[in-house]
Amino acid sequence: YTRNMDSKLHIVDAAGGAPKPLPLPKGVALYYNTFSPDGTRFVARCAGSKTHCIYETASGSAEPLAHAQAGWFPVAWDRKDRVFFRDHSKMIPEVLWRVDVASGEPERVAEIRPRDRAGVLGLSRVAVAQSGEAWAYSLMRRLSDLYVVTGLE
């Protein structure tokens, strides 16, 4: 997808052709690639709500995704038809959830925390493999050096 000057997202076929507008309701943003593997659906916030919907790529029609919480942020859709979410209710650790699209059942997958939390400001990105069995994250960190000087007069 691409973003043009009137702030509308477009889908571009890799094989060529004209860009097609992605039917996102006004005020709804798509931050990460949360498209289904076949590209026919995607996950984003429901219009005028803090809950999440599954949108049809062609028509823009939306269905709420059961059990996906308001404080969660969608990050991926795997080949097993599960959507992955980051739980932003606390900074560190964050919880990675996956919701089965067919049943709506949520499953707590992992607690994401860096081994060394020194200077960690928060997680910046979580990526999930297409298999849904592996994930990685990046973080923001601020470190400084403190020098102690003695004997100055």
Side-chain angles (χ1 to χ4, degrees):
Y1 59 90
T2 61
R3 181 177 284 270
N4 67 15
M5 295 308 288
D6 61 3
S7 296
K8 292 183 180 174
L9 291 174
H10 288 74
I11 300 172
V12 179
D13 190 329
K20 296 177 183 171
L22 184 66
L24 272 176
K26 188 173 177 95
V28 174
L30 185 65
Y31 294 103
Y32 294 111
N33 181 2
T34 56
F35 286 92
S36 62
D38 63 4
T40 61
R41 299 170 290 165
F42 62 92
V43 176
R45 293 253 187 233
C46 299
S49 174
K50 292 188 177 192
T51 58
H52 298 85
C53 282
I54 295 177
Y55 290 87
E56 296 293 325
T57 304
S59 68
S61 63
E63 295 276 333
L65 181 58
H67 303 294
Q69 303 299 308
W72 295 1
F73 190 79
V75 294
W77 192 322
D78 75 3
R79 287 190 299 248
K80 296 176 184 171
D81 218 24
R82 301 173 299 187
V83 177
F84 286 76
F85 292 89
R86 292 168 60 179
D87 181 354
H88 278 293
S89 61
K90 55 184 176 177
M91 288 292 287
I92 299 286
E94 283 191 17
V95 176
L96 184 65
W97 291 88
R98 67 179 160 214
V99 176
D100 183 270
V101 172
S103 69
E105 284 300 312
E107 178 185 359
R108 185 183 173 125
V109 177
E111 198 169 84
I112 302 173
R113 71 173 76 221
R115 288 186 180 146
D116 177 6
R117 291 184 51 185
V120 172
L121 302 173
L123 300 180
S124 57
R125 176 119 165 90
V126 175
V128 179
Q130 286 280 314
S131 68
E133 302 305 319
W135 44 89
Y137 64 90
S138 59
L139 54 87
M140 296 171 288
R141 181 183 303 246
R142 179 174 295 157
L143 297 175
S144 323
D145 293 319
L146 175 64
Y147 298 96
V148 178
V149 179
T150 58
L152 292 178
E153 292 185 29

